[in-house]
Amino acid sequence: MRLTKSVYLVGSGHFGLSHKFDSSIYIVNCNNELVMIDTGAGCNIDNIIDNIKKDELDPNNISTILLTHSHADHAGGASKFKDLYNCKIYVSEIESDFLNSGDESKLKLDVAKRSGLYSPDYVFSPCKPTVLLKDNDLIKINNFVFKAIIVPGHSEGSICYFIKLPEGVALFTGDVVFAEGSIGLLNCNGSSLSEYRKNIHKLSNLNINLLFPGHFVFVLSDGQKHIDKAIKSLSLIGIPENFI
């Protein structure tokens, strides 16, 4: 589903585009070299591949996968896409071992299963990442440049990807922040309200037009106001609006 000149939504459990376990999965067309933002859980990637083809894109042109974090709904399909297309897998260095080990405790998959978010028989496929990212690292794909902004809070090494597209300034936020300023705080180790407070300021003054979160609705204009709402809520005494 084409969202803008450069950005496509090719998977989402919420919108029924792919398996119910999947986060939102985006493709950015960087002059016919395709960058995928997150991969979904890996349960049925054929649906995602079909969606890419329906958008008249060639999945063989997927060169790069940028993972916002290692949770299964975002990263469980990374190994399958890597095997199919020999694409590079980027993740924060903080979460590289989570992705590579497939350890359910490190991935917080054990508590997610107890909470009914995955079936008991779901298995995460480990994936060795290609590139480990630090805060403010740049990823250059043709004449497109993605900036990795590491914002711990939802998970230890959650990344938001900032890019200036021809159609506007975009931010892919994973589960860090959503439309209307809600946040992705979980009741498990590695997810921390105090880390949110320490790091959310990194998303100030970015002048974001296009906001592409990991779940629910996307925003195609004035995206910064949604981010600013989250930033303000994290400066107040009450618990911010949360996505679960």
Side-chain angles (χ1 to χ4, degrees):
M1 182 168 65
R2 191 172 190 172
L3 305 181
T4 73
K5 179 181 179 182
S6 308
V7 179
Y8 299 77
L9 182 67
V10 297
S12 164
H14 178 77
F15 290 114
L17 288 174
S18 60
H19 195 275
K20 64 182 180 180
F21 295 164
D22 289 348
S23 68
S24 292
I25 303 160
Y26 299 97
I27 288 283
V28 183
N29 187 351
C30 301
N31 293 337
N32 294 321
E33 187 171 341
L34 304 183
V35 175
M36 178 179 281
I37 313 291
D38 288 335
T39 65
C43 294
N44 187 355
I45 68 168
D46 288 343
N47 286 348
I48 299 166
I49 293 168
D50 287 344
N51 290 336
I52 294 171
K53 291 177 179 178
K54 287 175 185 176
D55 285 323
E56 300 182 349
L57 300 171
D58 185 351
N60 291 297
N61 292 334
I62 300 172
S63 68
T64 303
I65 292 176
L66 303 180
L67 296 177
T68 60
H69 60 298
S70 60
H71 289 165
D73 54 334
H74 294 258
S79 65
K80 294 180 180 179
F81 280 103
K82 184 180 182 183
D83 289 344
L84 274 174
Y85 301 116
N86 195 31
C87 43
K88 294 180 180 179
I89 308 294
Y90 290 72
V91 72
S92 69
E93 62 178 1
I94 301 166
E95 298 194 18
S96 62
D97 180 57
F98 306 167
L99 184 69
N100 192 34
S101 70
D103 184 287
E104 290 198 0
S105 178
K106 292 179 179 179
L107 291 163
K108 287 70 181 180
L109 182 55
D110 52 352
V111 66
K113 284 185 176 182
R114 288 199 302 272
S115 303
L117 298 179
Y118 301 88
S119 57
D121 61 348
Y122 171 76
V123 177
F124 183 95
S125 297
C127 179
K128 185 176 181 178
T130 313
V131 180
L132 307 185
L133 293 169
K134 298 179 180 179
D135 196 25
N136 295 319
D137 278 353
L138 301 179
I139 305 106
K140 298 180 181 180
I141 310 293
N142 293 325
N143 60 332
F144 291 73
V145 180
F146 295 83
K147 181 179 180 180
I149 305 173
I150 298 183
V151 186
H154 172 72
S155 69
E156 294 95 320
S158 282
I159 298 179
C160 296
Y161 292 100
F162 172 93
I163 182 171
K164 293 182 178 178
L165 297 171
E167 60 268 37
V169 181
L171 192 69
F172 296 86
T173 58
D175 289 352
V176 172
V177 64
F178 302 90
E180 299 303 328
S182 62
I183 65 170
L185 185 66
L186 301 174
N187 182 31
C188 63
N189 291 334
S191 191
S192 165
L193 188 57
S194 63
E195 287 299 310
Y196 256 115
R197 290 196 302 269
K198 291 176 186 176
N199 292 285
I200 196 67
H201 68 88
K202 295 179 182 181
L203 304 183
S204 299
N205 303 315
L206 296 180
N207 298 315
I208 299 301
N209 307 117
L210 309 166
L211 180 64
F212 298 114
H215 299 277
F216 315 121
V217 298
F218 43 85
V219 176
L220 300 181
S221 64
D222 206 9
Q224 188 67 45
K225 76 175 183 180
H226 298 263
I227 298 168
D228 290 344
K229 187 174 180 179
I231 293 170
K232 181 178 179 181
S233 72
L234 283 158
S235 72
L236 304 176
I237 195 68
I239 303 298
E241 182 180 347
N242 199 35
F243 79 139
I244 293 180

